[in-house]
Amino acid sequence: MLYNTLHNRWLRLVACVVGELISAAALNIFIVPLNLYTGGLLGFCQVARTLMQTHLHISFGAYDVAGIFYFILNIPILLLAYKTLGRQLVLKTLVCTVSYSLFYSIIPIPSTPIVNDYLTACLLGGIFVGVGSGIVLTCGGSGGGLDVVGLCLSKRGSAFTVGKFSVGFNAVLYTICLLLFSAEVAIYSVIYNFFTAMVLDRVHQQNVSVQALIFTREDEDALARFIIEKLGRGVTFWNGVGAYTGENVHVLCVCLSKYEIEELLHTVHTMDPHAFITAQEGTRIYGNFPRRLS
């Protein structure tokens, strides 16, 4: 089930949309009713929406127009990304962005907060938004916004990484919240984003590095070719001898992401049901090791 979901293109796309639904619903149910702000480009759109409501006295009813603003601002970002990041990533990001903007805009915001305690709402919102966003990233999608801008900058050789750009933007955003609204709003918005980031790191698998050792008596060349051609990972193998049996065994070593380990296990056991595999997560890898977006 997990293998089919992660490695079927259409199931992954459906999972991305479901993840965006979870994130948008959690944000509207737990965070928006307390007038707190998420980070990134959507947080900027929320601040713009609030200023329009308070200073221009524009009423948007039970729906949040920030989702529409978010989609509009993503259009030039995606056009920029099309040349830098490629067609496949941009198309998948477009589907995720449209889904997220739509769900965020049409899911009604409760007139009174369901959870009145700020810290509890931040915790619940952070958990559900982190899980939803983690599903999207694990399935190779992206909600757009600052992540895409950061990737474009890093691809073009800028000193900004995705993380640095996001942290810098959010620091400015929450400083604005502090000046325009109150210290309470700014502090609890930061707390909510902290909870979201913690859960997201737990759910997201792409950038968790794994070192796998495969012990097999079958054709090691065929297995190595699959890893190189299908996963795009380098392989090192050598011949060993079982201490108990005295029989020859082939040992293959490969470093990959946690996201790719399912496909590796599936293929190895298809080629050799008796293969013995060890996998160590959280391996620190230096040098020429590509981090995958999808």
Side-chain angles (χ1 to χ4, degrees), residues 146-160:
L146 294 189
D147 289 346
V148 177
V149 175
L151 285 172
C152 290
L153 290 175
S154 61
K155 282 278 188 177
R156 294 188 174 190
S158 170
F160 280 106

Side-chain angles (χ1 to χ4, degrees), residues 2 13 24 36 50 61 72 76 89 101 108 128 150 160 168 176 198-201 209 227 238 252 259 265 294:
L2 179 61
L13 194 60
L36 300 180
T50 301
I72 293 173
L89 178 64
S101 302
F128 284 106
F160 280 106
I176 293 174
M198 287 184 61
V199 176
L200 177 59
D201 284 344
S209 300
I227 297 172
W238 58 90
L252 295 87
Y259 164 73
L265 295 176
S294 60

Side-chain angles (χ1 to χ4, degrees), residues 114-236:
I114 295 178
V115 179
N116 290 309
D117 181 69
Y118 276 76
L119 190 59
T120 304
C122 289
L123 176 60
L124 292 173
I127 290 173
F128 284 106
V129 172
V131 169
S133 300
I135 291 173
V136 174
L137 292 175
T138 298
C139 292
S142 169
L146 294 189
D147 289 346
V148 177
V149 175
L151 285 172
C152 290
L153 290 175
S154 61
K155 282 278 188 177
R156 294 188 174 190
S158 170
F160 280 106
T161 62
V162 178
K164 288 179 180 178
F165 184 76
S166 179
V167 169
F169 186 94
N170 286 334
V172 174
L173 177 66
Y174 289 129
T175 301
I176 293 174
C177 290
L178 179 64
L179 297 175
L180 292 178
F181 309 120
S182 67
E184 183 180 53
V185 168
I187 290 171
Y188 279 110
S189 295
V190 171
I191 292 174
Y192 153 72
N193 273 277
F194 176 75
F195 286 140
T196 301
M198 287 184 61
V199 176
L200 177 59
D201 284 344
R202 292 289 182 179
V203 177
H204 184 208
Q205 302 181 83
Q206 261 94 328
N207 290 327
V208 177
S209 300
V210 177
Q211 181 188 62
L213 293 177
I214 306 164
F215 301 82
T216 178
R217 293 186 177 88
E218 301 298 327
D219 184 3
E220 76 280 12
D221 287 328
L223 186 55
R225 282 197 302 272
F226 166 80
I227 297 172
I228 294 171
E229 294 173 4
K230 300 297 183 182
L231 297 183
R233 298 298 189 184
V235 185
T236 300

